[in-house]
Amino acid sequence: MSVVADHPAASSTSSDSFPASTGVFDRPDMPRDCAHERVVFCQDPDTGLRAIIAVHSTVLGPALGGTRFYPYVSEQEALTDVLRLSRGMTYKAAVAGVDLGGGKAVIIGNPNAIKTPTLLGAYGRFVESLGGTYVTAGDVGTNSDDLDIIAEETTHVVGKNTTAGGTGDSGPQTALGVFLSLLAAAESTWGSDDLTGKRVGVEGAGKVGYNLVSLLREAGAEVVVSDSYPPALDRIVADFPGVTVRSDIIGSDIDVYAPCAMGATLDASSVARLSASIVCGAANNQLLTPDVEAMLAARGIVWVPDYVANAGGLIQVEGELRGKDSAQVMATIGKIRDTVTGIFAIARAEGILLGAAADRLAEDRIAAAQG
């Protein structure tokens, strides 16, 4: 594993060493077989930028993944998040069938307080310094307007506004992939993909959650939604009459739990409170630890692996990167349902969990590329 901490962006400085508490070698919380190719820290005192880019794999292509702008309580928390997210992007791209590797970036701080054009410009120079090994996109705390600014300093960015030559917000496509995954899970679990009257709890009413609520309502589902940001809930209530707002989705009486905010919401405690039969959402790294899937299965709850369900946005920006038209992109997103159906079939035939079945698909494709 090659770890780099001395690769500064223009006008930026990088740390010379990693504190023991935030190391990347032999971490007990990361599988030993998933060594990252590169992890780079950047700090720009003039703008307040503190960022980490993690390149997990470039076996299938350049490492593409969004930039998350979030007020982490510590650098260790930020590092853990970016390492887990970047590994998930490798597996997401592999299962989705696109020629991309896995990477992710985090900017530490409250975007509502410190995000400025100059900070985003410094971050763009940081991305550019990696020479195309990493291609950035949007994520929690960043949007297409931000990506337009970043693109002034680097060509290695996708998800820009259409006026800037991009394909715009990937939220609708991510939501569509989740919705198609849910239809596959419903058919496998209940014998029908009819969601009429099914009660779906959507946790997070942001870019993806909003669009997922729209698709669910069109399909006749009852929707319960929560979000820590009141304006997001106000928009949902105004646009979708009949949607119920709750502060606690996991503890609500629901048939489907759709986490669409931050990850790690499922642990032993929350699993015990969950009434849903299916977990299918857009949030990355929904399981606090891998063994949580077995806890869900023991209660008869099906978990659709997050990196399979939420691949729609990645497929969209891969299309932007490769110059594909919208018909090609939508056709690939449509295949997500077939992929989920296939994962269910593998799991049933071999008596394994869905997570293991999905991992196998990803690892087989990566191994084939390695030759």
Side-chain angles (χ1 to χ4, degrees):
M1 177 169 74
S2 175
V3 179
V4 182
D6 56 354
H7 194 155
S11 76
S12 301
T13 58
S14 299
S15 60
D16 296 322
S17 62
F18 303 116
S21 61
T22 57
V24 295
F25 295 108
D26 300 322
R27 290 175 63 105
D29 59 334
M30 294 292 293
R32 295 302 178 90
D33 62 347
C34 69
H36 284 70
E37 294 179 8
R38 198 174 204 188
V39 180
V40 191
F41 289 64
C42 176
Q43 177 173 269
D44 181 29
D46 290 341
T47 63
L49 174 69
R50 291 188 299 152
I52 309 171
I53 294 177
V55 174
H56 178 258
S57 173
T58 56
V59 171
L60 295 175
L64 191 151
T67 295
R68 177 167 293 186
F69 204 139
Y70 190 75
Y72 295 98
V73 297
S74 67
E75 289 183 17
Q76 183 173 9
E77 182 184 59
L79 177 59
T80 296
D81 202 29
V82 77
L83 291 176
R84 295 190 70 195
L85 289 167
S86 55
R87 179 179 183 269
M89 291 302 299
T90 294
Y91 279 63
K92 182 186 302 189
V95 172
V98 295
D99 295 329
L100 293 171
K104 203 77 173 183
V106 295
I107 298 176
I108 302 171
N110 183 348
N112 296 321
I114 71 169
K115 185 166 64 176
T116 62
T118 54
L119 182 147
L120 293 172
Y123 175 68
R125 293 190 292 274
F126 179 31
V127 172
E128 181 65 21
S129 75
L130 300 187
T133 303
Y134 169 69
V135 180
T136 193
D139 198 85
V140 174
T142 57
N143 56 40
S144 293
D145 292 339
D146 300 329
L147 296 171
D148 288 353
I149 296 171
I150 293 168
E152 295 174 4
E153 302 291 344
T154 181
T155 59
H156 309 300
V157 55
V158 288
K160 305 182 297 295
N161 283 302
T162 54
T163 54
T167 53
D169 177 23
S170 62
Q173 283 68 34
T174 303
L176 177 58
V178 173
F179 180 72
L180 294 173
S181 299
L182 175 55
L183 293 181
E187 186 170 30
S188 178
T189 304
W190 298 320
S192 170
D193 65 0
D194 185 2
L195 299 180
T196 303
K198 296 296 185 182
R199 194 169 172 83
V200 182
V202 179
E203 190 174 68
K207 294 180 288 186
V208 179
Y210 177 90
N211 287 282
L212 181 59
V213 169
S214 178
L215 292 168
L216 291 168
R217 292 296 286 165
E218 289 177 10
E222 297 180 15
V223 178
V224 182
V225 66
S226 72
D227 197 288
S228 60
Y229 186 55
L233 290 177
D234 293 341
R235 183 188 181 201
I236 289 282
V237 171
D239 292 351
F240 305 108
V243 169
T244 302
V245 173
R246 290 280 186 272
S247 59
D248 176 21
I249 292 295
I250 288 180
S252 298
D253 181 16
I254 52 178
D255 299 298
V256 178
Y257 170 49
C260 294
M262 299 298 286
T265 57
L266 290 168
D267 56 18
S269 175
S270 59
V271 168
R273 299 174 55 236
L274 193 61
S275 63
S277 301
I278 297 172
V279 175
C280 181
N284 291 299
N285 300 319
Q286 296 163 13
L287 311 183
L288 180 63
T289 54
D291 61 333
V292 172
E293 186 181 5
M295 299 178 193
L296 289 166
R299 296 200 57 227
I301 302 171
V302 169
W303 174 66
V304 179
D306 43 45
Y307 66 80
V308 179
N310 65 16
L314 174 65
I315 293 169
Q316 175 189 327
V317 295
E318 189 268 346
E320 179 180 331
L321 185 67
R322 307 296 190 197
K324 297 179 180 178
D325 61 36
S326 60
Q328 291 173 294
V329 170
M330 294 306 293
T332 305
I333 293 174
K335 294 177 182 177
I336 291 176
R337 178 168 180 169
D338 295 335
T339 299
V340 175
T341 298
I343 290 170
F344 269 93
I346 294 171
R348 281 194 300 267
E350 302 187 20
I352 59 177
L353 296 174
L354 293 173
D359 285 353
R360 180 179 301 172
L361 289 180
E363 291 160 3
D364 285 351
R365 182 166 183 242
I366 294 168
Q370 289 174 318

